[in-house]
Amino acid sequence: MINQIGAYSLYICLFVSVYLILKSYISSKNFDKKIDQTFFATLSVQLFMTILSFFTLVFAFVFSDFSNITVFNNSHTLKPLFYKISGTWGNHEGSLLLWLLVLTFFLFIFFVTSKKMNVRYRILTILFQEIIILGFLLFILFTSNPFLNIFPIPDEGLGLNPILQDPALAIHPPLLYVGYVGTSIIFSASLAALITKTVDNVWASHIKNWILISWIFLSVGILLGSIWAYYELGWGGFWFWDPVENVSLMPWFCLTALLHSIIVLKNRNVFHSWTVILSITTFSLSMSGTFLVRSGILNSIHTFANDPSRGVFILTFLLFLVLLAVFIFFFNQKNFPDTYQRSFLVSRETSILINNWFMMFFLSVVLVGTAYPIFLEVINDAKISVGPPFYHKLIVPFLIPFLFFMALGPNIKWIKDKVKKLNISQIIFLILSFVISFFIVLNTNTNYLFSTLLFTFSFYLFFNVINSFQKKNSNLSQKVSHLGFSIFMLSILFNGILSKENSANMKVGDEINFLNKKLIFENVKVESDSNFKKLVGEFKLNDNGKIIHFKPEIRVYSQPETITSEADISSTLFSDNFLVFSLIKNDGFFNVRYQHKPLMIWIWISVLLMSLGGVFSFFKLNEK
Amino acid sequence: MYGKKVKIRAFFIILVFTSAILITFLVINSLKENVVFFKSPTDINNLNQIESKKIRVGGMVKKNSIEIENKNLKFIITDFKNEIIVTFSGAVPNLFEEGKGVVAEGYLEDRKYLKAEKILAKHDENYMPPEVKEAMQGN
């Protein structure tokens, strides 16, 4: 019964969507001067129906309605309520419904908040957004309907993959989706602005908010996924260049570039076509991310089901949207305002352009590394993987000039500035950074020149940002975000050169010595929790007289039968001590891995700082 | 002569092209060095020559083949046609078990012996690395 409500509301959505496409198309053809009242009404109906259908599914999950096949496949009566709810989007069908919900919700918000904008622009944005919504609706209804019935009704569900039963992972997908889907509004709006010849500084300040929303949510979404992989998968690091991670990083690079270029468009009214190209690319990357993850091409924890028809659908739809965008772009080239602005080599514009170039470079590296294995497999059936060394080798050296320009960029004035005003403080910063870095790197066994340079320019950026906080003129959000980035770089670097690791196979009572530390495996206990049993290990680490106790867990879930291990991490502001253990076979030996990770917590904090800068900018704290 | 604007444009275009070429070169070069090929024990058995490059070997962990010492781990990867002995010291993932799918990354010593640097296993009970699946089906 309740399934029917969900399914029918989706059909109503489909109907509304087709209506809105026709309506907005006709309205834009007629150059209507006023927005028809029916737009508001129909958009509200669509939003309401999507919300209804989404909550129907949530309801089915909460009350374990196993007549619904999605619930049956992904839930269980014994699961805690929180994970019953998060189970709604912990599967393919439900996550797409969430996509749809955010799509319609954002369109509605866009419609309500864009009253000051050109009428035809608003209508065309609705048109493009509705095309995307229609595509997703067809996709959901015909390949991944979350409201299919199962008969006879089973008594018990199959359960949610236990490694997804985690607070960070319960909110990671919604945040990431808000980021991804936010780019759809940017896409629709830039196409609409292109057709209505309104790609200008007014449009820039209007669309900037949407870029900020997507960017903030995408950043925090990636962060949560990363934290989760750190403690739950026991990977013990923050980034692994796993294809699925890369797929979320690519739109992030693009959005970051867009976030910078839109500022130029807003202040100087240049970079029109570049901004539009970036908008189109960002959305295409978000869509292809969905395609790669959902189609089962990338095999990973995110792959819910391997159904080729789904992949083919998204790929076709993506191609259609990209072709449409390219077509519109080329036929409206002349619509860009012909305002030639004099620009000089030494100017804020150039520095932002440099930022964009670097972003495009990082993006291409990640794109090649992620797509090449897929490409090669299709061409000659060879199976390969591209590991971290590839990315490190190509990205890390370029960070040196990137950091340098990032330190200088915000100090340069718009339009024209002089190189000569290179003042004493800059030279002092550079020397100071170099000296500090030299002594840091001195006692480590890394590539001296390279690490020293990286450290030097990270510190240089850091000092420059700190220094800029004294000045009142420039904007707060930029300073906070750039401060976040400099701390991010420094903590990664410290983490990289000072991390220590040791792994061994141990039995209860064993004692191992390494790096002046002594690790004792004291005991192992069996305990039970609501929906799993656990083995709790007790370890004692003696680090030069400092004692740390660890209680890592191995959890054995029964529905579905899965073993997960929970790392025990003792975090301080200076370093993380990480211990995870796993069972190899039942002969008393446990595989124990200990890691010492300096400044780990600062990696997370710095990303939050970066996002906080975005939040400041969104609430216009700069303009006071 | 040419105006300043034209000169700046020309300079800009040359800059873009040179950096594009340079980057393509760098990327291709780096790809060549850092790509890791995946092979099944049978593929390795059929190799003409043992390469010194890093490879990945995938298959099932043979039943009763895991031997544990304090620092080292020794086991056999099988695709039910050929086998290869793997030694490893380090951390193993959660679901590394006898009779389950596994991928080992490391260097070949000879056709029957791999020194692994990294062990990867599937993320959940139902998941089998696609490489392993195919290797199984291929036999």
Side-chain angles (χ1 to χ4, degrees):
Chain A
M1 166 58 202
I2 190 156
N3 268 337
Q4 268 62 39
I5 298 177
Y8 287 138
S9 18
L10 283 183
Y11 280 107
I12 296 172
C13 272
L14 188 75
F15 177 74
V16 173
S17 198
V18 173
Y19 169 79
L20 270 171
I21 288 173
L22 294 173
K23 172 91 186 161
S24 53
Y25 182 73
I26 294 164
S27 183
S28 77
K29 277 272 161 207
N30 295 341
F31 290 88
D32 287 355
K33 287 277 178 300
K34 265 179 73 186
I35 289 242
D36 203 322
Q37 279 300 317
T38 50
F39 275 110
F40 180 76
T42 41
L43 282 173
S44 313
V45 170
Q46 193 176 41
L47 178 62
F48 176 75
M49 286 302 156
T50 328
I51 292 174
L52 182 68
S53 133
F54 183 74
F55 279 97
T56 312
L57 191 63
V58 174
F59 190 80
F61 266 91
V62 169
F63 292 95
S64 300
D65 175 9
F66 295 124
S67 67
N68 180 320
I69 199 160
T70 311
V71 180
F72 166 71
N73 280 328
N74 299 289
S75 197
H76 194 280
T77 45
L78 291 179
K79 213 164 59 167
L81 179 66
F82 183 64
Y83 297 121
K84 280 183 184 164
I85 298 173
S86 75
T88 314
W89 52 81
N91 60 80
H92 172 78
E93 289 81 4
S95 66
L96 277 170
L97 197 56
L98 183 63
W99 248 92
L100 185 73
L101 178 66
V102 187
L103 271 173
T104 44
F105 180 69
F106 272 15
L107 178 60
F108 186 78
I109 298 290
F110 173 87
F111 184 76
V112 180
T113 56
S114 64
K115 291 209 171 95
K116 283 185 193 145
M117 304 299 288
N118 178 313
V119 171
R120 193 156 168 258
Y121 159 75
R122 293 173 72 196
I123 291 172
L124 280 169
T125 308
I126 297 177
L127 174 64
F128 292 121
Q129 191 74 2
E130 283 298 337
I131 292 176
I132 301 171
I133 292 176
L134 181 66
F136 270 90
L137 269 169
L138 291 173
F139 183 50
I140 292 176
L141 285 169
F142 296 109
T143 71
S144 354
N145 193 336
F147 298 106
L148 294 179
N149 288 307
I150 184 168
F151 191 82
I153 298 170
D155 294 331
E156 194 49 274
L158 299 177
L160 174 70
N161 188 342
I163 57 173
L164 301 179
Q165 298 186 24
D166 179 88
L169 211 69
I171 41 175
H172 157 77
L175 292 181
L176 208 58
Y177 285 0
V178 172
Y180 275 167
V181 179
T183 65
S184 72
I185 287 280
I186 302 166
F187 172 86
S188 309
S190 53
L191 289 184
L194 189 54
I195 294 175
T196 54
K197 307 183 185 176
T198 50
V199 182
D200 53 17
N201 41 5
V202 180
W203 177 74
S205 48
H206 159 75
I207 205 68
K208 194 182 159 203
N209 282 335
W210 289 98
I211 299 175
L212 280 167
I213 292 179
S214 310
W215 186 81
I216 295 163
F217 278 93
L218 193 58
S219 309
V220 180
I222 295 174
L223 173 71
L224 279 177
S226 185
I227 294 176
W228 169 77
Y230 173 56
Y231 68 75
E232 175 77 30
L233 288 184
W235 286 2
F238 64 96
W239 197 261
F240 299 88
W241 302 107
D242 183 86
V244 177
E245 288 178 317
N246 292 346
V247 147
S248 66
L249 192 61
M250 287 192 273
W252 190 87
F253 282 138
C254 224
L255 260 179
T256 311
L258 187 55
L259 192 58
H260 288 83
S261 77
I262 203 79
I263 300 170
V264 183
L265 183 60
K266 189 178 154 193
N267 288 302
R268 297 279 302 130
N269 213 359
V270 287
F271 289 5
H272 305 98
S273 49
W274 177 234
T275 306
V276 173
I277 292 175
L278 275 180
S279 309
I280 297 171
T281 319
T282 309
F283 178 65
S284 313
L285 287 170
S286 302
M287 278 282 288
S288 39
T290 317
F291 159 68
L292 285 174
V293 174
R294 290 286 169 270
S295 61
I297 286 185
L298 299 179
N299 260 287
S300 81
I301 184 66
H302 294 73
T303 317
F304 297 127
N306 292 351
D307 184 348
S309 70
R310 289 171 175 171
V312 170
F313 186 101
I314 303 188
L315 193 60
T316 319
F317 184 46
L318 174 66
L319 273 178
F320 166 75
L321 286 178
V322 171
L323 282 178
L324 179 78
V326 169
F327 187 78
I328 290 172
F329 183 79
F330 278 106
F331 281 83
N332 291 284
Q333 274 279 351
K334 58 183 185 309
N335 285 358
F336 288 117
D338 192 25
T339 50
Y340 175 69
Q341 305 271 12
R342 282 200 74 174
S343 283
F344 295 86
L345 202 57
V346 184
S347 63
R348 180 79 66 85
E349 292 92 309
T350 316
S351 74
I352 288 183
L353 193 64
I354 292 174
N355 153 293
N356 276 216
W357 281 18
F358 274 104
M359 285 300 156
M360 289 304 109
F361 170 69
F362 296 147
L363 170 66
S364 347
V365 170
V366 179
L367 186 66
V368 169
T370 314
Y372 184 65
I374 302 170
F375 181 72
L376 201 67
E377 185 165 357
V378 174
I379 301 286
N380 65 1
D381 215 31
K383 290 184 189 60
I384 58 156
S385 60
V386 176
F390 169 78
Y391 300 99
H392 291 166
K393 200 171 169 188
L394 283 174
I395 289 180
V396 178
F398 286 88
L399 282 173
I400 296 171
F402 179 72
L403 286 164
F404 177 67
F405 285 118
M406 193 169 167
L408 290 183
N411 297 328
I412 301 172
K413 291 196 191 104
W414 292 106
I415 308 172
K416 192 176 185 180
D417 208 336
K418 293 196 182 77
V419 195
K420 259 194 284 180
K421 87 176 182 180
L422 194 91
N423 50 27
I424 297 294
S425 65
Q426 291 296 327
I427 298 170
I428 294 175
F429 285 156
L430 202 57
I431 294 173
L432 189 65
S433 315
F434 183 77
V435 172
I436 297 175
S437 312
F438 181 76
F439 283 107
I440 290 171
V441 178
L442 199 60
N443 294 321
T444 58
N445 48 351
T446 45
N447 185 339
Y448 291 115
L449 179 70
F450 204 51
S451 309
T452 314
L453 281 176
L454 267 173
F455 264 108
T456 305
F457 285 102
S458 304
F459 272 118
Y460 181 57
L461 172 65
F462 180 72
F463 290 142
N464 259 298
V465 179
I466 294 288
N467 187 38
S468 74
F469 274 96
Q470 300 172 7
K471 298 178 200 158
K472 289 212 173 82
N473 57 348
S474 52
N475 59 31
L476 181 67
S477 57
Q478 177 263 112
K479 289 177 206 162
V480 173
S481 286
H482 284 205
L483 178 68
F485 187 76
S486 67
I487 297 175
F488 179 67
M489 281 305 303
L490 286 172
S491 23
I492 289 181
L493 289 172
F494 274 110
N495 195 281
I497 60 165
L498 299 174
S499 282
K500 291 188 180 75
E501 168 167 359
N502 191 61
S503 40
N505 302 312
M506 298 170 81
K507 280 182 171 163
V508 179
D510 277 1
E511 207 180 287
I512 52 165
N513 291 295
F514 57 95
L515 313 157
N516 300 328
K517 295 173 209 261
K518 189 167 54 173
L519 183 69
I520 307 165
F521 188 175
E522 292 182 318
N523 197 6
V524 66
K525 281 190 295 197
V526 183
E527 289 173 18
S528 25
D529 211 308
S530 65
N531 60 341
F532 55 84
K533 277 186 185 157
K534 58 186 180 186
L535 290 173
V536 185
E538 285 173 11
F539 292 84
K540 190 166 91 179
L541 181 80
N542 189 334
D543 183 3
N544 287 324
K546 211 178 95 191
I547 307 269
I548 306 173
H549 289 277
F550 291 102
K551 285 190 173 180
E553 294 172 10
I554 297 173
R555 293 184 179 172
V556 185
Y557 286 82
S558 51
Q559 354 80 25
E561 197 168 289
T562 311
I563 300 171
T564 72
S565 49
E566 304 284 308
D568 193 13
I569 305 166
S570 83
S571 276
T572 65
L573 284 180
F574 300 105
S575 66
D576 275 18
N577 283 295
F578 176 104
L579 194 127
V580 65
F581 81 138
S582 58
L583 196 62
I584 303 171
K585 63 178 192 180
N586 237 342
D587 64 351
F589 267 115
F590 290 89
N591 184 266
V592 180
R593 179 189 198 188
Y594 165 79
Q595 280 182 307
H596 176 76
K597 297 243 144 206
L599 299 182
M600 198 67 194
I601 205 166
W602 287 97
I603 295 178
W604 319 131
I605 293 177
S606 62
V607 176
L608 282 179
L609 258 182
M610 281 192 244
S611 317
L612 187 68
V615 176
F616 284 170
S617 177
F618 182 78
F619 289 106
K620 307 243 180 330
L621 293 180
N622 300 326
E623 279 153 39
K624 274 173 194 163
Chain B
M1 283 305 283
Y2 299 111
K4 201 180 171 192
K5 201 175 136 189
V6 179
K7 270 189 194 160
I8 291 177
R9 282 247 155 124
F11 172 73
F12 183 78
I13 291 169
I14 293 169
L15 192 70
V16 170
F17 266 92
T18 22
S19 43
I21 292 168
L22 205 72
I23 285 167
T24 322
F25 176 75
L26 270 176
V27 170
I28 291 175
N29 218 19
S30 183
L31 258 186
K32 261 190 204 155
E33 284 168 31
N34 293 304
V35 147
V36 184
F37 278 86
F38 178 91
K39 302 230 152 62
S40 71
T42 306
D43 291 338
I44 292 167
N45 201 40
N46 297 338
L47 282 180
N48 294 324
Q49 210 185 334
I50 301 294
E51 293 161 55
S52 58
K53 276 185 75 178
K54 192 188 265 184
I55 63 156
R56 282 185 175 190
V57 180
M60 289 290 181
V61 181
K62 196 184 176 187
K63 285 244 154 77
N64 302 321
S65 74
I66 300 181
E67 284 170 38
I68 307 168
E69 293 161 39
N70 274 339
K71 197 74 192 161
N72 292 313
L73 198 68
K74 200 167 143 192
F75 61 95
I76 294 171
I77 293 184
T78 173
D79 58 5
F80 303 120
K81 211 169 181 184
N82 286 285
E83 292 177 348
I84 184 163
I85 301 166
V86 181
T87 57
F88 175 67
S89 80
V92 296
N94 260 326
L95 291 155
F96 174 75
E97 252 178 86
E98 289 179 344
K100 293 279 162 68
V102 70
V103 175
E105 186 179 300
Y107 297 92
L108 278 179
E109 305 261 295
D110 60 50
R111 284 195 186 80
K112 288 284 165 218
Y113 194 82
L114 181 90
K115 223 173 152 143
E117 288 185 339
K118 203 155 94 184
I119 303 280
L120 313 152
K122 60 225 165 1
H123 286 292
D124 74 72
E125 208 63 11
N126 306 319
Y127 173 70
M128 188 190 267
E131 297 95 342
V132 177
K133 204 186 226 166
E134 223 158 89
M136 305 268 118
Q137 283 164 354
N139 292 293

